[in-house]
Amino acid sequence: MDKRSLTERDICTKFILPAVKGAGWDEMLQVREEVYFTKGRIIVRGKLVTRGKAKKADLVLYYKPNIPIALIEAKDNNHSVGDGMQQGLDYAATLDIPFVFSSNGDGFVFHDRTNQSFPIETNLVLDAFPSPADLWARYRAWKGLDAEAEQIVLQDYFDDGSGKAPRYYQVNAVNAAIEAIAKGGDRVLLVMATGTGKTYTAFQIIWRLWKAGRKKRILFLADRNVLIDQTMVNDFRPFGVAMAKLSTNAKTIERQDGTTVDLTLALDRKRRIDTAFEVYLGLYQAITGPEERQKLYREFSPGFFDLIVIDECHRGSAAEDSAWREILTHFSGATQIGLTATPKETEYVSNTDYFGEPVFTYSLKQGISDGFLAPYKVIKVHIDRDVEGYRPELGQRDRNGNEVEDRIYNAKDFDRNIVLDDRTVLTAKKITELLKESGDRFQKTIVFCVDEEHAARMRQALVNENADLVADNQRYVMRITGSDKEGQDQLGNFIDPESKYPVLVTTSRLLSTGVDAQTCRLIVLDRAVGSMTEFKQIVGRGTRVHEDTKKFFFTLIDFRGATSHFADPDFDGDPVQIYKPGDGDPITPPDGAPQGDDAIPPTPSDEEIVIDQPGLPLPPGGPIRKIYVDGIGARILAERVEYLDENGKLVTESLRDFTKTALKKRFASLDVFLKRWKSAERKQAIIEELEAEGLALDVVADELGKDLDSFDLICHVAFDKKPLTRRERADNVKKRDVFTKYGPQARAVLDALLEKYRDEGVLNLDDTNVLKVTPFTAMGSVVQLIKAFGGKEGFEKAVHEMQDALYQETA
């Protein structure tokens, strides 16, 4: 057998796997091949949605299920034994795997990421692969696990037999928390972006500690009833009869599978506690309060609970005098785990002061990059009154006939101290305009208003703008706020993917956190958002992917400048597109709008999968007497476009300057670029590399208004060379008559390919699929046309010669 003729897969099957099994690894329980650990980034181009290539590890070795300890990156035998090491190390860092191997079938290169070995990298022959016991001993030593801690760390995950497995980052989070607790840690913080499954992660942590006998009584705290109820019937369902809710209100809840269940309660009507349960779930507002009689948690002895898990701990537990903190202080002897999407860090309040640094972090940016979270577009709309302010005319009267105080009112005053209804009407009109232009007016939408009164006026304005759909069903637009019972009763329907109504919801703060609105496609900010924590929470309302309803991205409309938080270094999830419509421009972003530095190429690559083809998508005051002034008017101002630089900062330089900077980082000089271009058999490969880095050259071409191909764009934009148009390049090739050595049919094909380049800028002309479309279909079959060049190799050679001729002039 010629080993060099074997594929990478053959090398794995015939050489690597036998070596692994020979070292004592159980192929059924401990070895997984081709492990896809990301979903592939969701890429949005106008209404076309594709997924990028998912990341895949060749082999992952597990000491026990969901405890990965080794990764093997395989290459075919035309590569050296260590060629896969750098890729393997990159994947291992993501998967938090300590031991990395690279192999081409001749042997292994072994890299110990724990730095416990010297040298760090060693060469091994095929039959010297380490055994599970060997690698686990190294792992134990690295983690500092004694026998008791090891028993906890090795406790099995919950498996219901359905095939559902935790995502790689959930495994990392669970293992990090378990290891910290096993080694005696009693304050653990996990930071995971909204929509990444914090509750499921918490369940697996609790399950393993409970089954290991390390934690026997557990309290799960949250601050939304809907979170507790859904948690009990879904993620926490396996706890069964051992679980109860600290509530006196019986409730029937629908599970994800459509069945219903009555919640088990741990309180009777007199608020007496049944202490026979092991897992308690509670609404912190229900077990404490300002009055002594409300502090139900004191009915439990301080040592009753072994483990307390606090969901969304950033909101209350950080402040020392908060209701959360008094509960945690009462049970200070218990291990306490904080779950948050946004650890609160201010001058006065810090979660890390209480919990310590996070043992695990999974950011919004990483979630979007991995394809588990939905990316989003931002439309920034500036209204003249917000930008210029409003000063009443002398003697101006409000709606009640009172004289308006003479001062300049600005964006912070609008809808809080003074109401300009024309501004509200304009905002509602723009929201409706976007929905109409999208072609889908039933996109679940949250409009964040200044306060409940503003939310009521916004609801009215939206009702008037959408009178036709409201006539069909009055629940098309609803206000859902803390004091509005009718609205709150519809919250369940709003977040239910199966429920059509309500569609447009106005709110102040109620929906900014904790509501799992999976199908929310549009978020509107019509109030300032001062806190980065709240801003991240609001963005998180739209980040859940819902494939059943083809919700793969969402749109955020910002009327109040709240998205200035994108420029904050603490923000970690850049939008794919920022669009500022000018006066008279449509509110819908153009398909070819500028993209962020880390964002998407303008056209799909061969490795992308189309997942949707036509596609859309939060922030929130004591009683203040508001001044209502009518007839003032409001209009949209023209605004410039902003771009995201490589650090995620908003910059106002032109797209051309932005592209020039990025290109010169990649190609230090014109000579470097020319050498790279001339040596590349597939010119399109260079363009694809640039597109993968977010450099959308066709958008620059549109801005320049010139019919240039990618080669000339790069030379012109990055190195100030005078460009030639595609027509000029094609004409120069014809003048040189470079096709004379070919027969009539071959010359006709090359002439047609040249025309295709001139008209469409196609670079991958050597792809024989191009011969399957007009005008080639009229010249003969693909086989006949390729035969005119003496075969496929001759065809490719002729096309490459033509491309070399195209780029002969570089001035």
Side-chain angles (χ1 to χ4, degrees):
M1 184 188 300
D2 178 9
K3 193 185 278 190
R4 286 184 176 271
S5 68
L6 298 178
T7 64
E8 182 181 294
R9 196 73 253 137
D10 275 336
I11 293 293
C12 273
T13 303
K14 293 177 169 57
F15 297 96
I16 298 175
L17 265 177
V20 170
K21 288 190 286 186
W25 293 86
D26 187 318
E27 186 178 10
M28 294 300 294
L29 300 177
Q30 294 181 302
V31 181
R32 283 188 59 201
E33 297 183 69
E34 296 194 322
V35 181
Y36 285 90
F37 57 92
T38 71
K39 290 273 285 183
R41 182 180 182 179
I42 295 171
I43 300 170
V44 185
R45 300 178 180 84
K47 292 182 180 179
L48 175 70
V49 185
T50 63
R51 270 200 189 273
K53 191 176 182 180
K55 290 185 178 178
K56 176 191 69 176
D58 290 331
L59 287 101
V60 178
L61 307 182
Y62 299 80
Y63 189 67
K64 287 194 72 175
N66 293 313
I67 303 181
I69 62 170
L71 180 148
I72 304 173
E73 188 59 34
K75 295 294 179 187
D76 63 39
N77 201 248
N78 294 298
H79 291 80
S80 68
V81 67
D83 272 2
M85 181 54 71
Q86 290 193 156
Q87 185 177 344
L89 288 171
D90 180 51
Y91 289 173
T94 301
L95 296 170
D96 196 23
I97 292 176
F99 308 118
V100 184
F101 297 83
S102 173
S103 179
N104 65 351
D106 291 339
F108 296 96
V109 173
F110 171 38
H111 184 108
D112 185 348
R113 295 182 62 239
T114 70
N115 294 324
Q116 304 283 306
S117 306
F118 186 81
I120 293 173
E121 277 192 8
T122 51
N123 291 300
L124 304 174
V125 295
L126 273 179
D127 59 3
F129 195 84
S131 68
D134 179 13
L135 290 187
W136 182 249
R138 293 172 183 247
Y139 186 93
R140 276 187 58 185
W142 173 47
K143 292 290 187 179
L145 303 177
D146 58 22
E148 183 183 359
E150 180 186 30
Q151 180 255 330
I152 298 167
V153 168
L154 290 178
Q155 178 62 46
D156 288 335
Y157 279 65
F158 173 77
D159 183 356
D160 62 2
S162 68
K164 178 180 179 179
R167 295 169 174 171
Y168 84 85
Y169 62 84
Q170 293 170 335
V171 168
N172 291 353
V174 173
N175 290 346
I178 294 290
E179 287 171 6
I181 293 167
K183 291 191 289 185
D186 58 3
R187 300 291 182 269
V188 175
L189 182 64
L190 297 175
V191 178
M192 297 172 67
T194 302
T196 55
K198 289 192 295 295
T199 311
Y200 175 72
T201 301
F203 162 71
Q204 288 288 4
I205 295 169
I206 296 168
W207 177 269
R208 292 175 67 196
L209 292 170
W210 185 58
K211 280 295 186 180
R214 182 67 176 255
K215 305 296 176 186
K216 297 177 182 177
R217 286 214 174 99
I218 296 104
L219 173 63
F220 180 86
L221 284 172
D223 72 344
R224 291 278 191 275
N225 239 321
V226 66
L227 297 180
I228 296 292
D229 297 345
Q230 292 300 326
T231 295
M232 288 185 72
V233 300
N234 292 319
D235 287 329
F236 279 35
R237 181 177 173 181
F239 287 120
V241 296
M243 171 179 62
K245 180 181 179 181
L246 288 167
S247 173
T248 58
N249 297 320
K251 198 166 186 180
T252 300
I253 301 293
E254 185 176 343
R255 293 185 175 125
Q256 287 170 333
D257 60 10
T259 60
T260 58
V261 63
D262 293 328
L263 298 185
T264 304
L265 304 181
L267 300 180
D268 63 18
R269 287 293 176 186
K270 296 182 179 179
R271 286 170 64 86
R272 290 176 298 201
I273 301 170
D274 185 342
T275 58
F277 297 100
E278 295 175 73
V279 179
Y280 294 80
L281 292 89
L283 194 66
Y284 85 88
Q285 299 96 321
I287 62 174
T288 190
E291 297 178 27
E292 195 62 32
R293 64 181 178 81
Q294 295 171 311
K295 300 185 187 298
L296 181 70
Y297 68 88
R298 291 187 178 172
E299 298 298 315
F300 292 103
S301 65
F304 185 84
F305 291 110
D306 306 309
L307 174 66
I308 300 179
V309 178
I310 311 98
D311 193 21
E312 302 294 2
C313 65
H314 59 276
R315 292 225 295 289
S317 58
E320 288 187 22
D321 60 351
S322 70
W324 289 96
R325 188 64 74 86
E326 65 176 320
I327 300 172
L328 301 186
T329 302
H330 181 74
F331 300 112
S332 59
T335 297
Q336 297 172 3
I337 301 174
L339 305 172
T340 182
T342 49
K344 192 164 188 174
E345 295 293 334
T346 71
E347 182 181 351
Y348 309 103
V349 175
S350 172
N351 257 349
T352 55
D353 281 351
Y354 185 81
F355 287 103
E357 291 299 318
V359 298
F360 176 78
T361 298
Y362 188 71
S363 69
L364 171 63
K365 186 172 186 176
Q366 188 64 48
I368 292 173
S369 177
D370 286 345
F372 295 116
L373 296 181
Y376 57 103
K377 300 178 179 182
V378 174
I379 301 172
K380 303 179 85 166
V381 182
H382 286 195
I383 295 172
D384 59 347
R385 295 298 174 191
D386 296 348
V387 176
E388 299 164 2
Y390 163 65
R391 183 175 182 178
E393 295 177 4
L394 188 63
Q396 175 81 51
R397 301 279 172 178
D398 68 12
R399 190 181 292 171
N400 298 318
N402 301 311
E403 188 167 334
V404 180
E405 180 188 352
D406 181 18
R407 69 178 180 87
I408 295 176
Y409 296 88
N410 57 33
K412 290 182 180 177
D413 295 305
F414 297 141
D415 299 300
R416 186 175 296 281
N417 303 314
I418 188 167
V419 173
L420 304 180
D421 252 347
D422 289 342
R423 187 196 175 284
T424 309
V425 169
L426 178 64
T427 302
K429 191 182 294 290
K430 280 293 173 184
I431 295 167
T432 306
E433 187 182 316
L434 177 72
L435 290 168
K436 288 179 177 177
E437 289 178 3
S438 74
D440 179 10
R441 293 173 68 189
F442 284 88
Q443 299 175 53
K444 293 284 179 89
T445 299
I446 305 175
V447 184
F448 285 93
C449 303
V450 169
D451 56 21
E452 293 194 8
E453 185 273 344
H454 182 208
R457 286 187 293 103
M458 184 61 72
R459 175 200 157 277
Q460 180 182 342
L462 286 167
V463 164
N464 291 333
E465 289 295 328
N466 296 276
D468 56 335
L469 296 182
V470 174
D472 291 340
N473 192 308
Q474 65 182 22
R475 291 186 299 137
Y476 179 77
V477 185
M478 294 202 73
R479 180 182 74 157
I480 300 182
T481 57
S483 65
D484 192 325
K485 183 181 184 305
E486 288 74 19
Q488 285 202 47
D489 287 346
Q490 292 298 320
L491 179 57
N493 287 326
F494 179 71
I495 65 179
D496 182 359
E498 303 296 320
S499 181
K500 187 174 184 178
Y501 298 101
V503 179
L504 311 185
V505 165
T506 68
T507 188
S508 55
R509 292 180 181 272
L510 187 63
L511 300 182
S512 62
T513 55
V515 176
D516 189 8
Q518 300 175 49
T519 55
C520 177
R521 295 173 185 264
L522 179 60
I523 292 171
V524 181
L525 293 173
D526 197 27
R527 70 166 174 82
V529 184
S531 151
M532 172 61 74
T533 296
E534 187 178 25
F535 182 68
K536 284 186 177 182
Q537 287 289 325
I538 285 167
V539 170
R541 294 312 100 215
T543 53
R544 286 172 175 81
V545 174
H546 196 261
E547 301 202 7
D548 289 350
T549 57
K550 293 193 177 297
K551 186 250 172 146
F552 296 105
F553 71 99
F554 68 101
T555 300
L556 191 155
I557 308 182
D558 178 18
F559 287 94
R560 301 274 185 152
T563 49
S564 59
H565 284 298
F566 291 143
D568 191 308
D570 287 339
F571 190 75
D572 61 11
D574 309 328
V576 298
Q577 179 178 345
I578 295 181
Y579 169 59
K580 289 188 176 182
D583 194 16
D585 288 344
I587 186 124
T588 306
D591 290 355
Q595 309 296 316
D597 178 77
D598 182 39
I600 60 175
T603 55
S605 70
D606 293 340
E607 293 175 337
E608 290 177 29
I609 299 169
V610 176
I611 53 177
D612 190 26
Q613 187 168 3
L616 220 176
L618 291 125
I624 297 173
R625 188 186 85 81
K626 297 186 181 182
I627 304 163
Y628 295 82
V629 185
D630 298 328
I632 300 303
R635 63 187 175 84
I636 303 296
L637 293 177
E639 294 294 333
R640 64 185 180 276
V641 176
E642 293 181 334
Y643 305 96
L644 289 167
D645 69 8
E646 65 273 18
N647 300 311
K649 298 288 181 69
L650 287 172
V651 292
T652 54
E653 65 184 348
S654 74
L655 179 58
R656 178 173 175 170
D657 292 339
F658 174 77
T659 307
K660 180 174 184 174
T661 303
L663 285 170
K664 295 197 85 165
K665 281 184 181 177
R666 184 168 183 84
F667 305 111
S669 66
L670 177 62
D671 283 344
V672 170
F673 169 66
L674 292 176
K675 284 177 185 173
R676 174 82 170 85
W677 185 268
K678 288 176 180 175
S679 65
E681 280 198 12
R682 281 186 69 245
K683 315 298 184 190
Q684 185 66 25
I686 299 175
I687 309 309
E688 287 168 1
E689 288 171 17
L690 294 173
E691 288 173 352
E693 294 175 15
L695 286 172
L697 295 177
D698 63 336
V699 181
V700 188
D702 290 343
E703 187 178 271
L704 292 176
K706 296 181 180 178
D707 197 20
L708 307 180
D709 81 351
S710 301
F711 174 86
D712 282 285
L713 270 173
I714 294 170
C715 290
H716 180 54
V717 171
F719 306 109
D720 300 316
K721 289 292 180 184
K722 180 184 176 183
L724 294 178
T725 64
R726 292 199 302 265
R727 178 177 292 276
E728 288 171 330
R729 289 201 175 277
D731 288 346
N732 286 343
V733 172
K734 284 189 173 182
K735 287 174 190 173
R736 288 197 296 273
D737 207 12
V738 296
F739 303 152
T740 51
K741 62 182 176 180
Y742 297 103
Q745 191 172 35
R747 279 204 306 274
V749 170
L750 292 170
D751 277 331
L753 287 172
L754 196 58
E755 289 298 306
K756 202 160 191 63
Y757 162 81
R758 188 185 73 180
D759 296 337
E760 302 173 29
V762 178
L763 287 180
N764 55 336
L765 296 170
D766 57 349
D767 183 349
T768 55
N769 286 323
V770 77
L771 302 178
K772 296 178 181 177
V773 299
T774 55
F776 304 101
T777 48
M779 299 179 184
S781 69
V782 174
V783 174
Q784 288 173 331
L785 297 182
I786 290 178
K787 195 173 181 181
F789 292 90
K792 186 177 179 181
E793 192 175 322
F795 170 72
E796 291 174 350
K797 183 172 183 288
V799 173
H800 291 154
E801 285 176 356
M802 183 179 78
Q803 287 184 324
D804 289 341
L806 275 171
Y807 300 110
Q808 197 164 311
E809 297 88 353
T810 59

